[in-house]
């Protein structure tokens, strides 16, 4: 197997290639004056299996199209199979037609990934809510890995786990909160969330955790609106320390500053979206999944 990457996938591609001892192909990439993108992969790809790394955060359309060009270039060049390693899969939250005549983006994006020529997909903590399994939106083999046990181990190592209550901001987060709670041997509570705008939410539920510490767990933080509301409520209820743990820290605008202001201790995230909160690498997780695929 060979490894290549788009402009958002280089760090993880390099780590995984080094863990597995695979050859890394650095693609040529540029934009034409009119904004169209160009890619070319230099190397002997005929008959090879190639893993393409690209995470789809923050400028998802551009990155998805660049990914598609890479996959097409590989297939045109004779690659046998292409594995899309997409640590953060964008658009998964639009998993229902909420109002008439909306797109079902959570299914469209997988279709576009498939249409490009992808044979298999590996992703991490995909936002699965109304769709329960990755295979409900992909018709190619799709593996959804979870980084929650790795994140929980990091938390225990650096902060311990006694006196902690794990808090999930909404029913969707229950799947991730319960994994972390089990790993830490901690109790958990799941709140209810109502979204009132792109950046604002209201949460309700029993927040009486006075004198305890809380760890808020979610799949992602985007604008920070959810975290800011939950952290603020917990601190006002007399919770001593509030940390947050997510797989994907998109941290749009001043999300990090807003969470600090609300009383956050530490934000712990993975490198599916590399940034200031990336404390835990998903490279070993991705390497293990690719290694398994190789032996099949
Ligand atoms: C939605 O249900 C997700 O699990 C997150 O809670 C949400 O996307 C976070 O977005 P924001 O940081 O903008 O509140």
């Amino acid at each position: 197997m060979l490894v290549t990457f788009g402009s958002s996938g280089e760090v993880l591609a390099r780590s995984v290639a080094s863990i597995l001892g695979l050859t890394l192909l650095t693609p040529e990439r540029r934009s034409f004056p009119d904004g169209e993108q160009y890619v070319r992969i230099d190397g002997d790809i005929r008959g090879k299996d190639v893993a393409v790394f690209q995470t789809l955060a923050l400028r998802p359309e551009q990155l998805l199209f660049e990914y598609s060009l890479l996959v097409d270039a590989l297939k045109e060049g004779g690659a046998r199979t292409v594995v899309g390693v997409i640590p953060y899969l964008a658009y998964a939250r639009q998993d229902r037609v909420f109002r008439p005549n909306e797109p079902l983006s959570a299914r469209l994006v997988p279709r576009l990934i498939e249409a490009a020529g992808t044979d298999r997909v590996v992703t991490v903590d995909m936002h699965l809510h109304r769709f329960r399994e990755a295979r409900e939106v992909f018709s190619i083999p799709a593996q959804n890995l979870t980084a929650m046990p790795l994140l929980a181990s990091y938390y225990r190592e650096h902060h311990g786990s006694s006196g902690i209550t794990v808090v999930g901001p909404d029913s969707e987060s229950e799947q991730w909160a319960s994994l972390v709670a089990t790993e830490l041997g901690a109790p958990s509570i799941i709140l209810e969330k109502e979204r009132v705008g792109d950046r604002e939410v209201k949460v309700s539920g029993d927040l009486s955790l006075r004198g305890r510490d809380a760890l808020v767990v979610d799949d992602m933080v985007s604008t920070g609106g959810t975290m800011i509301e939950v952290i603020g409520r917990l601190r006002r209820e007399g919770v001593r320390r509030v940390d947050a743990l997510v797989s994907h820290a998109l941290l749009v605008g001043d999300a990090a500053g807003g969470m600090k202001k609300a009383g956050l201790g530490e934000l712990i995230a993975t490198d599916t979206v590399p940034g200031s909160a990336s404390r835990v690498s998903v490279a070993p997780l991705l390497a293990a999944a690719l290694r398994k695929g190789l032996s099949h």
Side-chain angles (χ1 to χ4, degrees), residues 79-258:
R80 190 174 65 151
T81 61
V82 173
V83 183
V85 183
I86 304 178
Y88 171 69
L89 186 72
Y91 282 101
R93 288 171 292 175
Q94 177 77 21
D95 58 358
R96 196 180 113 190
V97 174
F98 296 93
R99 297 168 61 214
N101 307 341
E102 284 179 347
L104 188 52
S105 317
R107 201 156 58 195
L108 172 65
V109 168
R111 279 188 187 155
L112 295 173
I113 290 168
E114 287 169 17
T118 312
D119 297 288
R120 182 159 79 93
V121 163
V122 180
T123 187
V124 179
D125 289 317
M126 181 178 167
H127 188 87
L128 288 170
H129 177 214
R130 289 170 189 94
F131 292 112
R132 307 303 297 182
E133 309 268 351
R135 63 184 150 83
E136 289 176 53
V137 288
F138 281 102
S139 54
I140 53 174
Q143 233 177 320
N144 178 35
L145 310 170
T146 181
M148 291 299 159
L150 287 178
L151 286 163
S153 301
Y154 176 96
Y155 189 81
R156 191 181 34 237
E157 218 173 281
H158 291 82
H159 298 280
S161 58
S162 75
I164 285 280
T165 298
V166 171
V167 178
D170 51 26
S171 60
E172 286 141 86
S173 66
E174 208 261 327
Q175 54 189 305
W176 303 294
S178 71
L179 282 172
V180 173
T182 305
E183 195 71 26
L184 296 180
S188 63
I189 56 171
I190 305 299
L191 307 175
E192 271 164 47
K193 178 169 94 179
E194 188 198 339
R195 190 160 278 286
V196 286
D198 286 347
R199 292 166 187 271
E200 276 155 57
V201 303
K202 273 191 201 147
V203 289
S204 53
D206 183 11
L207 288 155
S208 48
L209 297 171
R210 180 169 295 279
R212 285 186 67 85
D213 293 337
L215 176 60
V216 188
V217 174
D218 209 349
D219 58 334
M220 61 188 288
V221 48
S222 178
T223 66
T226 301
M227 284 292 177
I228 290 167
E229 175 70 9
V230 176
I231 294 161
R233 289 282 311 274
L234 287 165
R235 292 305 302 270
R236 290 195 292 278
E237 290 287 334
V239 173
R240 285 185 315 184
R241 182 182 168 103
V242 183
D243 295 306
L245 189 153
V246 299
S247 275
H248 317 293
L250 274 68
L251 296 177
V252 174
D254 191 29

Side-chain angles (χ1 to χ4, degrees), residues 80 120 291-296:
R80 190 174 65 151
R120 182 159 79 93
R291 188 185 287 125
K292 221 166 166 189
L294 287 176
S295 62
H296 282 162

